[in-house]
């Protein structure tokens, strides 16, 4: 099986562990991820505030390159890249004039045939069914799935999961044997945009998230976005300051959680790279469940 | 008048057309425009299409145009003032390069308009028409003039009949006084000639049926179901009648603009349902088969009876124009044999 | 071809149909519509690429109206006409046996209306390149040129109504041009009468024309009429996503609307 | 040609534009007297053949006006009319009939001043375009000449 | 030969100051067919009308053109004058030379010319007018009332009290509707059931009213005065004639844990039940989905205990046909449930309830007997948050409109809460307080001032649960948009009022239109607020848009008035300006070809199929037929018809064509 893959800058830099875990899981399950040749920046954060054409051309070039490479599906683990790609596809397919213009700018013919998958869609389609046969451990921990903003919004364009109280990650984590808690901060802002410029705000916004998760007994936060991860993991001092207490609940990528369940070496999953040490261990060995046919017919006594 | 035999070479023919034009006459001849050959006004012979077996439409519109203004009128508060068409203003027209069948077509047409009542407008146009025909060297599968008393070198109807003897030489038969007046005005162009046997010069067209047989058969066929069978594929348009040189049916229409109005005579066809529709809603020819029967009877029974000639000259135009290949000769042959 | 004949023969032999509508050899190298009522006559049934007449027309004529069952050898254009006639309540499915013929001349077997709809969708359609070129040529003209072009193009019209008579969609018992009091369209085939007549006909076929080109084929004076109704049908498809001849139940672009119909000219 | 006073025919529905034009009157808003109003129950009733008829009868410009979308007294007549005009305009454009001379508009019973505007701007536009000679000639040459 | 009379009115100076009336009259006298032409100062005055009447008689006029003001003004006047003179009133046309001429143009030749043209065109039109007879339609003096809420009850009682028969159809086992679920009513705080139940009983006892509960409208055919309605009476599994309402069956039913719809899931009911104690009729129904007998084939305990032997397990749905002359739709509304709100937890928090649930809670006959209690643990909430505009006025939720009743009932809820929980605090998040209405604003002031409700102007962005409390996060737009966070015990959402379930299907059965929110559309928002576009079908209550009780009742009485008017005579007279399909002699019968492309364009479903058959009954042709009872005369079918087989009186093809022709060919 061969799928297109767009790493983007985060996965090559600050969030290498995300990339490592995606690759490790894919490798383990025999999925070949092919990076787009000569890929460029997706234009997230800056471009769409400055110049619409630029913000559409940057992703469009990547998409066109992927099409040229004969790919039909593209896995984009970074939520920001995913958002930019999907929005671009939507805009260009709904605006002929812009489409033409962007084609001219990038000097390529972007057709819009590609299916863009975020990491969760990737898991749902290519991984979840293989878990049962490959799982070594159950992640028998209480976890809080945190989606952030970019994965599910804007719903009209992404058409993925529900905007409030999304569920897809929870489904995956439950499948891994985790106790995924119901909580209120799944899509609250983590403050990523201020990560560098205004750490206090990050302390407050992310602090609330981490506090609520730990208050509800979560042993780990599970994320699918490098921005969320770096904020929640790296800005812990600011959060602790806001919360007035030290919270050491670790933050892991969903692919790392899968990797753990598959028994992949922790180092291979990049778990050693986190600021907040990931102490999760003592997983329950996984035993494939027998299929039980339940007899639910119960006669009521009269 | 006795036919005068002459010879005309091609260059003289060219000069003749120029001279006719110069004398103020309007010369109409077959002209090929975008693949369709029709009678058009020509200034010289170069414009003419000599190869055409038969123009799509007949030459009848020279005397019976598709829309003929009969009169103008003006409504006043309590009266109508009628202004007749000035028939003296009609131009002298030469129909040049008509085929013998075209020329023959004017005979039944003339009969329709001049039997009993004489149609002044038609007559005026007819009087000013001179027909210079050219015998047929070629024929196609639709031609059947020889079955209706005509032929590729037939002189009836023509004022002058030309027959090509060689690429450069035409045998000219001056048939009528009108023809003679052209000869007289252009005598220098014509050379004397003996009578020429035209048979080897014209096309061979096989006779498919005879007048007698058709006449005889039609006496008993009125109620036959042959009409149903034959008319089954007829779509009921008027193409056959409108291209026919001998069809003379028309409809009178008044058009007004404010107080001014005009009365038109427009072509009509017995193939149309509306042709015989009564105001009551009753239609004596309700079915297409009845209309087809009418067409055949009119041409091959009523006209011979009343006007002593077929209402058909065997040009085959109707069959060529028919969108569903209703071949009249084939149908008549079927009647003759059946 | 043999397959078509076999089906036709069987239908007649089993008396499922009383008439088979098809083609036979015509004058010279022409072909022509033919009606077969006996199984033994089927030998004369032909189909070749000259058989372009839209014989769906005859379904509304007496011979077919009076038969209990009718079979028809149907090219894609004929199938589309049949569906559109059905959509306009002119024919009913029970009595019509469509013997489908693909655009490549292959027998597609007997099609019920449902199958015919599928068939119709899959068969290629469109205008001949020369017609398309003509449309483009006209569109490129100036307003005055376009007007003069059409006035000139219509001027040879003799109002023989072969276009109407050969159009399966022109089934009105009384055509608008035959309506007097008021006389909407002059009967005379002068320039004005011709322009009004052809304009009216194009409007009436908007969204209903299946673009068989029959009007143009049967015109004795070769007026490119078909491009008028084709241009409108194409437009209607673009604007209202409505196409004639694909559906056997009610469909007509001008008998429908959406609140969001787009226009840019209403003030 | 500055003396040219065009003939403009307005085909309007009874419930919106006719009433709107009444309001123009009661509001005493002045507009060009070159327009003649023909009242219909609904724009859905207006036959496109009346438009060409109007040109043939000597109109230089035509106004067709009715209720705004969703406001139709009969709920949907104007929607059908709109479709018809969309198609008809396309045909006219293709056949070289001057659609600059046909003004379609929605004028409600409350838009008295809009009605005056529509008439005046149409009038000015038609004055610029001049008389519709080509169509008038077409329609009269066989009658009057 | 036509003999047309032309009457040019000066309208005092309104016309004559601008238009040269005598000149117009003079020119008009010369129009072909004009037999008489005159100008006069005031044509609509008594002497003016006498002038018209006398001229018609004296000059034997066959039609008249009154050239004056707009026909929308005086057409009826001059039609009456025609009738008085013995001329068919439809042989009168008006040329509008005031609104469309003298008032909008300057004095001058062009204005005179316009007046002349307009007169000429009307002369040409009137020459082609047909003498028409107004249409008479018989009226069946029975009304159908669909829905037995307060609007339906009011309409039914008013119509019945006017002496007409009424058939009432209610979907639920009892009439009463939403009002029967309410606790107290604003702004008076009188008990809802106390004022409603006597009216319910009246309905049951009124001899003019036939009540079908647990029944739905199956189909409707026909037109004003003559509807045929099929009603599906769902099987109650009870013989209503035998049941004495003792209630033994309901107490003995072993199935007791079925969520009670009437209590909005906050209480339970048995499988055989009456929705609430005061139900009318007091006849139980068996809920077959939950009944043990229907599920498992065993039980029948109710049958054993039923003394009058009224239980009928084999009862089937019954179709009842009724003929009615008018229909009133009173099907009411519904409220959005809490699961509609993702940001408030998709309905997963038990202590977030909707307003209707709060009503039941506050009701003395409700599941808590009137005590305010948290559904999760039964504790008394000390901090309660009311969220107004939950869903309403929110385009993102697809509900752009204001639900109108929420501001008032939320104020009422705050007051009731304070009356029941004295030490509690009520917070109300609101967008605007819309309290227009008699004593309404006073009522909200009372909530604020006397009962200390804390009104916060802002919206609530999210609510989540933490440690048994509901954390309500909102903003206070009057306090510098500060974020407000309230740890509440309970939250009440004033959820949007929406169209009732099944409204679309009902609208389609009745051929009435509905808006994008599935509320039924009135014929005119101002002047015909209770009529629909289909003659004879009316709207009352919240099926049209959210309405409070007095509005619903007023509309219902309005409908009753309309229907009583309709029933005041046994025949209905209608303007004959309607479309018709031509008919000619056999064998064509009509130029209509039966393509039925006209059928979908008719907004009134007036175009029907008419089969022409021979004497043996064989179908010859199907033609369009326009039902004169339904046609409203828009003429859209006329323009659609390709063969010009349809025409419309008053605006015939001949008339319109001649107008255009005459107008330009001066």
């Amino acid at each position: 099986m061969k799928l297109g893959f767009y790493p983007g800058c985060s996965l090559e830099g600050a969030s290498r562990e995300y990339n490592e875990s995606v690759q490790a899981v894919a490798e383990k399950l025999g999925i070949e991820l092919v990076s787009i040749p000569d890929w460029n920046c997706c234009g997230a954060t800056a471009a769409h505030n400055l110049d619409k054409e630029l913000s559409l051309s940057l992703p469009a070039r990547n998409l066109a390159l992927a099409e040229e490479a004969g790919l039909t599906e593209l896995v984009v683990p970074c939520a920001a890249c995913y958002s930019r790609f999907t929005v671009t596809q939507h805009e260009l397919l709904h605006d002929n004039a812009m489409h033409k213009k962007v084609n001219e700018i990038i000097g390529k013919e972007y057709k819009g045939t590609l299916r863009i998958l975020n990491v969760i869609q990737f898991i749902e389609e290519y991984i979840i069914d293989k878990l049962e046969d490959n799982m070594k451990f159950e992640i028998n921990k209480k976890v809080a799935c945190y989606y952030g903003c970019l994965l599910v919004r804007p719903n009209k364009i992404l058409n993925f999961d529900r905007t409030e109280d999304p569920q897809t990650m929870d489904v995956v984590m439950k499948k891994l044997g985790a106790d995924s808690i119901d909580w209120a901060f799944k899509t609250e802002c983590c403050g990523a945009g201020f990560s560098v410029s205004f750490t206090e705000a990050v302390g407050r916004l992310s602090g609330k998230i981490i506090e609520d998760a730990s208050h509800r007994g979560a042993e780990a936060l599970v994320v699918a976005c490098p921005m969320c991860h770096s904020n929640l993991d790296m800005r812990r001092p600011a959060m602790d300051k806001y919360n007035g207490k030290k919270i050491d609940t670790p933050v892991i990528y969903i692919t790392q959680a899968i990797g753990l369940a598959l028994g992949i070496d922790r180092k291979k999953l990049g778990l050693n790279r986190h600021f907040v040490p990931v102490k999760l261990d003592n997983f329950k060995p996984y035993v494939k469940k027998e299929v039980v046919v339940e007899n639910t017919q119960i006669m009521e006594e009269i | 008048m006795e036919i005068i035999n002459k010879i005309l070479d091609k260059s003289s023919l060219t000069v003749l057309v120029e001279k006719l034009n110069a004398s103020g006459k309007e010369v109409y001849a077959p002209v090929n425009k975008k693949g369709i050959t029709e009678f058009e006004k020509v200034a010289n012979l170069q414009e003419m299409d000599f190869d055409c077996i038969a123009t799509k439409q007949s030459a009848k519109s020279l005397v019976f145009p598709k829309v003929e203004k009969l009169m103008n009128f003006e409504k006043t508060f309590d009266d109508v003032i009628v202004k007749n068409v000035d028939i003296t203003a009609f131009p002298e027209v030469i129909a040049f390069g008509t085929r013998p069948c075209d020329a023959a077509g004017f005979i039944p047409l003339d009969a329709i308009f001049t039997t009993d009542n004489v149609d002044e407008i038609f007559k005026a146009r007819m009087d000013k028409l001179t027909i210079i025909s050219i015998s047929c060297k070629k024929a196609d599968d639709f031609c059947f003039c020889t079955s209706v008393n005509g032929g590729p070198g037939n002189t009836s109807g023509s004022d002058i009949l030309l027959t090509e003897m060689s690429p450069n030489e035409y045998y000219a038969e001056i048939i009528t006084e009108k023809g003679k007046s052209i000869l007289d005005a252009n005598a220098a162009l014509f050379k004397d000639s003996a009578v020429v046997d035209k048979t080897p010069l014209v096309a061979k067209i096989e006779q498919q049926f005879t007048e007698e047989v058709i006449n005889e058969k039609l006496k008993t066929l009125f109620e036959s179901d042959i009409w149903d069978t034959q008319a089954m594929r007829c779509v009921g348009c008027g193409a056959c009648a409108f291209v026919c040189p001998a069809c003379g049916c028309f409809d009178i229409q008044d058009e007004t603009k404010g107080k001014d109005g005009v009365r038109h005579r427009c072509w009509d066809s017995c193939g149309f349902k509306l042709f015989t529709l009564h105001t009551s809603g009753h239609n004596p020819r309700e079915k297409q088969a009845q209309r087809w029967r009418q067409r055949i009877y009119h041409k091959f029974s009523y006209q011979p009876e009343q006007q002593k000639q077929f209402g058909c000259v065997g040009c085959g135009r109707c069959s060529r124009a028919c969108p569903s290949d209703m071949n009249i000769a084939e149908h008549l042959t079927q009647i003759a044999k059946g | 071809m043999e397959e078509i004949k076999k089906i036709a023969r069987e239908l007649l032999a089993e008396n499922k149909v009383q008439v088979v509508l098809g083609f036979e050899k015509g004058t010279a190298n022409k072909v022509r519509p033919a009606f077969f009522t006996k199984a033994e006559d089927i030998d004369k049934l032909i189909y070749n690429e000259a058989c372009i007449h839209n014989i769906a027309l005859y379904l509304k004529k007496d011979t077919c109206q009076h038969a209990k069952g009718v079979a028809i050898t149907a090219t894609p254009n004929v199938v589309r006409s049949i569906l559109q006639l059905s959509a306009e309540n002119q024919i009913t499915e029970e009595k019509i046996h469509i013997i489908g013929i693909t655009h490549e001349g292959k027998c597609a077997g007997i099609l019920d209306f449902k199958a015919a709809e599928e068939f119709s969708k899959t068969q290629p359609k469109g205008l001949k390149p020369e017609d398309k070129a003509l449309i483009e040529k006209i569109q490129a003209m100036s307003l005055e040129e376009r007007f003069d072009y059409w006035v000139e193009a219509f001027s040879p019209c003799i109002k023989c109504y072969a276009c109407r008579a050969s159009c399966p969609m022109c089934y009105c018992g009384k055509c608008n041009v035959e309506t007097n009091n008021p006389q909407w369209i002059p009967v005379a085939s002068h320039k004005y009468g011709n322009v009004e007549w052809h304009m009216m006909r194009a409007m009436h076929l908007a969204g209903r024309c299946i673009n068989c080109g029959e009007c143009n084929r049967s015109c004795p004076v070769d007026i490119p009429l078909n491009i008028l109704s084709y241009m409108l049908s194409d437009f209607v498809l673009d604007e209202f996503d409505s196409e004639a001849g694909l559906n056997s139940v009610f469909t007509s672009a001008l008998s429908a609307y959406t609140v969001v119909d787009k226009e840019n000219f209403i003030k | 040609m500055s003396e040219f006073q065009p003939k403009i025919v307005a085909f309007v529905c009874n419930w919106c534009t006719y009433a709107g034009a009444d309001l123009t009157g009661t509001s005493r808003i002045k507009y060009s007297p070159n327009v003649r109003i023909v009242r219909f129950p609904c724009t859905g009733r207006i036959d496109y053949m009346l438009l060409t008829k109007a040109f043939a009868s000597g109109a230089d410009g035509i106004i067709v006006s009715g209720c705004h979308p969703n406001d139709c007294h009969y709920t949907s007549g104007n929607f059908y009319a709109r479709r018809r005009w969309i198609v008809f305009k396309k045909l006219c454009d293709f056949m070289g009939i001057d659609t600059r001379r046909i003004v379609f508009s929605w004028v409600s019973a409350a838009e008295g001043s809009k009605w005056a505007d529509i008439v005046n701007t149409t009038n000015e536009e038609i004055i610029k375009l001049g008389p519709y000679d080509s169509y008038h000639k077409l329609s009269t040459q066989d009658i009057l000449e | 030969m036509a003999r047309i009379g032309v009457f040019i009115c000066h309208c005092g100076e309104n016309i004559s100051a601008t238009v040269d009336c005598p000149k117009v009259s003079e020119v008009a006298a010369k129009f072909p067919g004009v037999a008489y032409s005159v100008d006069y100062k005031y044509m609509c005055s008594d002497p003016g009308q006498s002038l018209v009447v006398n001229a018609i008689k004296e000059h034997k006029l066959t039609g008249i053109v009154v050239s004056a003001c707009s026909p929308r003004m005086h057409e009826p006047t001059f039609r009456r004058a025609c009738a008085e003179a013995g001329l068919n009133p439809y042989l009168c046309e008006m040329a509008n030379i005031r609104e469309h001429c003298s008032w909008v143009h300057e004095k001058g030749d062009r204005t005179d010319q316009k007046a002349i043209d307009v007169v000429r065109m009307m002369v040409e039109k009137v020459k082609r007018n047909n003498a028409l007879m107004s249409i008479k339609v018989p009226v069946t003096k029975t009304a159908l009332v669909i829905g037995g809420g307060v609007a339906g009850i009011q309409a039914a009682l008013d119509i019945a009290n006017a002496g007409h028969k009424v058939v009432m159809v209610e979907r639920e086992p009892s009439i009463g509707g939403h009002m029967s679920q309410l606790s107290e009513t604003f702004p008076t705080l009188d008990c809802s059931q106390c004022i409603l139940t006597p009216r319910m009983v009246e309905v049951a006892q009124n001899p003019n009213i036939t009540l079908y509960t647990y029944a739905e409208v199956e189909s409707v055919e026909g037109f004003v005065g003559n509807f045929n309605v099929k009603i599906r009476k769902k099987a109650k599994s009870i013989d209503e004639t035998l049941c004495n309402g003792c209630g033994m069956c309901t107490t003995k039913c072993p199935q007791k844990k079925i969520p009670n719809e009437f209590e909005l899931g906050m209480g339970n009911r048995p499988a055989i039940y009456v929705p609430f104690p005061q139900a009318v009729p007091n006849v139980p129904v068996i809920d077959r989905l939950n009944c043990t007998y229907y599920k498992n084939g065993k039980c029948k305990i109710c049958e054993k205990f039923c003394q009058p032997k009224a239980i009928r397990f084999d009862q089937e749905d019954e179709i009842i046909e009724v003929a009615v002359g008018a229909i009133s739709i009173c099907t009411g509304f519904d409220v959005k449930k809490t699961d509609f709100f993702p940001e408030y937890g998709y309905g997963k928090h038990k202590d977030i309830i909707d307003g209707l649930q709060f009503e039941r809670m506050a009701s003395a006959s409700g599941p808590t007997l009137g005590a305010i209690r948290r559904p999760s643990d039964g504790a008394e909430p000390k901090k309660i948050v009311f969220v107004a505009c939950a869903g309403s006025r929110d385009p993102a939720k697809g509900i752009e409109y204001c639900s109108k009743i929420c501001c008032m009932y939320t104020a009422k809820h705050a007051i009731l809460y304070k009356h029941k929980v004295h030490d509690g605090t009520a917070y109300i998040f609101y967008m605007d307080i819309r309290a227009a209405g008699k004593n309404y604003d006073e009522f909200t002031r009372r909530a604020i001032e006397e009962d200390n409700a804390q009104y916060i102007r802002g919206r609530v962005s999210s609510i989540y649960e933490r440690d048994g409390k509901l954390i309500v996060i909102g903003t206070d737009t009057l306090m510098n948009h500060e974020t407000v966070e309230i740890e509440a015990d309970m939250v009440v959402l004033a959820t949007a009022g929406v169209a009732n379930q099944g409204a679309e299907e009902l609208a389609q059965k009745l051929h009435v239109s509905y808006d994008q929110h599935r509320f039924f559309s009135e014929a005119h928002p101002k002047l015909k607020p209770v009529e629909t576009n289909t003659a004879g079908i009316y709207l009352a209550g919240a099926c049209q848009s959210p309405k409070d009780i007095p509005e619903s009742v007023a509309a219902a009485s309005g409908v009753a008035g309309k229907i009583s008017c309709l029933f005041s005579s046994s025949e209905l007279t209608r303007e004959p300006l309607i479309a018709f399909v031509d008919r000619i002699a056999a064998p064509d019968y009509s130029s209509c070809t039966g393509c039925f492309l006209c059928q979908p364009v008719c907004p009134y479903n007036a175009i029907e199929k008419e089969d022409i058959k021979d004497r043996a009954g064989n179908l010859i042709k199907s033609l369009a037929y326009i039902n004169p009872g339904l046609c409203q005369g828009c003429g859209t079918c006329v323009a659609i018809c390709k063969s010009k087989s349809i025409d419309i009186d008053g605006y015939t093809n001949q008339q319109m064509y001649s107008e255009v022709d005459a107008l330009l060919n001066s």
Side-chain angles (χ1 to χ4, degrees), chain B residues 47-83:
Chain B
E47 294 173 43
M48 187 175 139
D49 176 11
F50 282 92
D51 285 335
C52 179
I53 291 172
T55 50
K56 197 110 193 188
Q57 296 183 58
S58 74
K60 74 173 169 189
S61 56
L62 298 177
V63 289
F64 175 36
K66 61 180 183 176
V67 183
E68 173 89 86
K69 188 197 283 182
L70 302 180
M71 65 182 194
N72 282 87
F73 56 85
E74 189 191 330
K75 282 187 280 186
T76 60
F77 177 54
D78 48 9
D79 199 7
V80 178
I81 302 162
V82 173
K83 280 173 271 179

Side-chain angles (χ1 to χ4, degrees), chain A residues 162-165 167 182-186 188 208 211-212 215-216 297-302, chain E residues 254-255 292 296 298-299 301 342-343 345-346 348-349 461-467 473 485:
Chain A
R162 46 192 209 188
T163 308
E164 306 279 352
D165 195 16
Q167 292 294 326
D182 182 21
W183 64 313
F185 287 80
K186 283 181 180 178
E188 287 297 305
K208 281 186 177 174
E211 197 278 335
D212 196 69
H215 178 81
R216 289 170 198 265
Q297 204 177 14
I298 301 160
M299 288 283 287
E300 199 161 324
E301 202 109 338
I302 301 164
Chain E
Q255 279 277 25
T292 316
N296 301 328
K298 269 193 244 165
C299 183
I301 286 180
E343 67 273 34
Y346 284 108
K348 69 187 169 196
H349 306 303
S461 64
S462 73
I463 304 172
Y464 64 92
E465 179 271 338
R466 181 163 160 145
D467 300 339
I473 298 167
E485 216 175 291

Side-chain angles (χ1 to χ4, degrees), chain E residues 2 18 23 51 63 131 154 269 321 355 369 419 448 457 464-465 474 576:
Chain E
T18 320
K23 181 175 135 197
L51 179 79
Q154 183 70 33
R269 63 159 172 86
E321 285 188 44
L369 301 175
H419 291 184
I448 297 165
R457 188 176 180 281
Y464 64 92
E465 179 271 338

